[in-house]
């Protein structure tokens, strides 16, 4: 079970036009929520506030760990990955052999 923590992000700016603050804060909150969702991080309310010189994002209860994800891997992708690993192992074999170690040899 993962814990949760609050996130506070403060961004300093030179000077944003006051007329753009509403849109900037709305975009900050929306994009932060979308990013956390893409990262599979559960969270509570997302709130953005600020002034023309400072934007503040506060997210309550951000999970410390990503939610688990199960993914089905197709056989071709699996075979390609195993083939890549075999090539990497074969490329390193001469170096291991010259050092007196064999593939699969323990310390």
């Amino acid at each position: 079970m993962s814990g949760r923590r609050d996130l506070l992000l403060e961004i300093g700016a030179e000077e944003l036009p006051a007329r753009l603050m509403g849109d900037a804060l709305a975009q900050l909150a929306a994009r932060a929520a979308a990013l956390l969702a893409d990262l599979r991080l559960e969270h509570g309310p997302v709130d953005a506030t600020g002034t023309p010189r400072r934007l503040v994002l506060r997210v309550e209860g951000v999970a410390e760990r990503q939610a688990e994800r199960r993914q089905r891997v197709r056989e071709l992708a699996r075979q390609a990955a195993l083939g890549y690993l075999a090539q990497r192992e074969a490329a390193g074999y001469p170096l291991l052999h010259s050092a007196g170690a064999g593939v699969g040899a323990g310390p």
Side-chain angles (χ1 to χ4, degrees), residues 10-106:
E10 193 171 323
I11 303 169
E14 191 64 33
E15 181 87 26
L16 296 174
R19 63 180 162 63
L20 300 178
M21 286 300 298
D23 287 341
L25 295 173
Q27 285 185 28
L28 179 62
R31 289 182 182 211
L35 177 63
L36 291 170
D38 287 346
L39 294 173
R40 299 184 334 270
L41 289 171
E42 296 177 2
H43 58 87
V46 177
D47 181 44
T49 59
T51 66
R53 296 189 137 227
R54 184 158 302 173
L55 303 174
V56 179
L57 175 72
R58 181 165 186 251
V59 185
E60 295 180 20
V62 178
E64 291 181 353
R65 294 179 181 255
Q66 290 178 311
E68 289 186 21
R69 175 179 65 174
R70 293 184 181 253
Q71 184 176 2
R72 187 176 196 145
V73 178
R74 292 184 166 183
E75 186 62 23
L76 288 177
R78 183 179 159 282
Q79 288 176 354
L82 291 175
Y84 173 77
L85 292 175
Q87 288 175 353
R88 297 286 297 196
E89 185 176 294
Y93 183 78
L95 177 63
L96 290 172
H97 185 66
S98 68
V103 175

